[in-house]
Amino acid sequence: MCGRFVTTRPTDEIAQMFDAGPANDMPDVPDYNVCPTDPVAVVVAGRKLVSMRWGFIPSWYKTPTDGPLLINARAETIAEKPAFREACRARRCLIPATGFYEWTKDADGNRLPWYIAPEDGPLTFAGVWQVWERGDARHVTCAIVTTAANQAMSAIHHRMPVTLSPDQWALWLGEEGKGAARLMTAAPEDRFAFHRVSPAVNSNRALGAGLIEPL
C-alpha cells in the first residue's frame, strides 16, 4: 500500500513538467509527511493541475466518514470494485511525488519506517479521482493505485504504488486511447532506493526535511 508520501517540487515546476495549467488553491510544498485526508496536487485529463483530498469517497457515502478511508485502490480489482470501477474507466489521474514511506516491524512489534524514492527521474503515482457531494458539502477526492510489490520492495511490504514514467502519462490520462490497464504493474527492480528513517515520521504531525534523512 501507500499510506504516506513526500512532495517537494514547487507547483510551477510540477505544472511545467506535466505541461499543465495550475489551479489557484494548490497545497503548500515542500511537505515531507503527506497524510491521508491532506490536500495533494493532482494532474487530470486536459492537463489541469488541481488540488484534491487524498482519500477517495464513494458516491453512496452519506458523509465523508460513512465508511473506510479509501486511500489506495488495488490494481487487481479496481475495474470491478463498485467504489472504483467508474473512476477507473473515466477519471484517472497522475499524482506527483518525491518519495514515499513504508513500515516494517521489529521483534517487539515496533513500527520501523523506511523512505523509498526513485534512483532517478520524477516519481508519479497512478491515481483515480471522484467528486463527492451532499447538500452544500463537496469534496474532490483521489486514491493511489497499488499493485503487488516487486522482489526488491517485498522485503519491506507486499504492496507498492503503481508508478508511471513520462512516456506513460498520456495513456493513463486517456489521451492516447485505451490500454491503460497494462500500465498497472510493479516498477522495475532497480527503480527505487530505500533506507531506514527516524520513527518521528510515525506521527502524522511530524514535519521537516529531517524525516527522510537516513537513520
Side-chain angles (χ1 to χ4, degrees), residues 44-69:
V44 297
R47 295 298 173 117
K48 298 177 181 177
L49 180 62
V50 299
S51 177
M52 294 188 186
R53 173 192 187 267
W54 182 24
F56 192 98
I57 306 177
S59 59
W60 61 83
Y61 278 21
K62 294 182 174 64
T63 70
T65 57
D66 200 32
L69 184 62

Side-chain angles (χ1 to χ4, degrees), residues 1 7 10 24 28 36 41 65 68 89 94 104 122 126 134 159 171 192:
M1 65 176 295
T7 179
N24 294 323
D28 293 334
T65 57
R89 287 193 293 269
L94 306 170
T104 55
R134 282 292 187 279
R159 306 288 297 176
L171 182 58
F192 293 106

Side-chain angles (χ1 to χ4, degrees), residues 79-104:
E80 290 81 36
K81 287 287 186 180
F84 299 118
R85 63 190 176 198
E86 181 58 31
C88 180
R89 287 193 293 269
R91 294 186 303 278
R92 297 188 298 272
C93 60
L94 306 170
I95 305 175
T98 303
F100 63 99
Y101 299 102
E102 281 297 355
W103 281 261
T104 55

Side-chain angles (χ1 to χ4, degrees), residues 9 117-123 190-193:
R9 289 187 175 87
E119 292 278 21
D120 53 55
L123 175 60
D190 59 353
R191 173 75 166 112
F192 293 106

Side-chain angles (χ1 to χ4, degrees), residues 126-144:
V128 291
W129 66 278
Q130 161 110 336
V131 177
W132 179 90
E133 294 180 290
R134 282 292 187 279
D136 294 333
R138 184 177 190 272
H139 295 284
V140 185
T141 69
C142 64
I144 295 170

Side-chain angles (χ1 to χ4, degrees), residues 10 21 28 54-55 77 84 123 130 141 147 149 161 166 176 179 182-183 198 211:
D28 293 334
W54 182 24
T77 58
F84 299 118
L123 175 60
Q130 161 110 336
T141 69
T147 190
E176 294 182 349
R182 68 173 181 263
L183 303 179
S198 167
L211 295 177

